[in-house]
Amino acid sequence: MVLALAVLLGIGWWYVRDGVTGNAAAGTAYAARVGCSCRYVAGRSLEDCSKDKLAGMEMIRLSEIPEDQSVTASVPLIASETARYREGFGCVLEPWEE
């Protein structure tokens, strides 16, 4: 019974994984960029910036590394993106690695 459930969950994940990971990657990239701008351009606290997330982005968590002036947005075990403040450019996403 447990094995059958695990197999069904595995098949279900395989079927929807591209949509889930694609949406998570786009959402984390957006949240990292907006969170970084909110934090290092507007000067608001990261906690206050978390309120700016759009509906449906509740699973995305923001964290920062003040020394690097960067904000990372992540969906645990699925996607993570980081944006870093660069003088003259604002907040820029780190290059994607495939």
Side-chain angles (χ1 to χ4, degrees):
M1 181 64 153
V2 173
L3 180 59
L5 181 60
V7 168
L8 287 175
L9 286 173
I11 290 171
W13 174 251
W14 181 81
Y15 183 72
V16 299
R17 76 183 184 289
D18 289 338
V20 171
T21 57
N23 288 338
T28 54
Y30 173 81
R33 168 66 177 71
V34 170
C36 178
S37 295
C38 174
R39 179 71 182 102
Y40 294 107
V41 176
R44 294 167 47 200
S45 71
L46 192 63
E47 181 179 327
D48 192 42
C49 294
S50 292
K51 297 174 188 174
D52 293 346
K53 292 188 288 187
L54 301 174
M57 298 177 74
E58 293 81 11
M59 290 186 65
I60 297 175
R61 301 290 173 241
L62 298 177
S63 61
E64 69 175 314
I65 301 175
E67 305 82 44
D68 291 343
Q69 291 187 312
S70 67
V71 171
T72 299
S74 62
V75 175
L77 304 174
I78 298 176
S80 177
E81 296 293 338
T82 299
R84 185 177 325 278
Y85 177 76
R86 293 179 52 200
E87 188 68 39
F89 294 95
C91 289
V92 179
L93 288 171
E94 291 184 348
W96 287 359
E97 297 177 15
E98 292 189 37

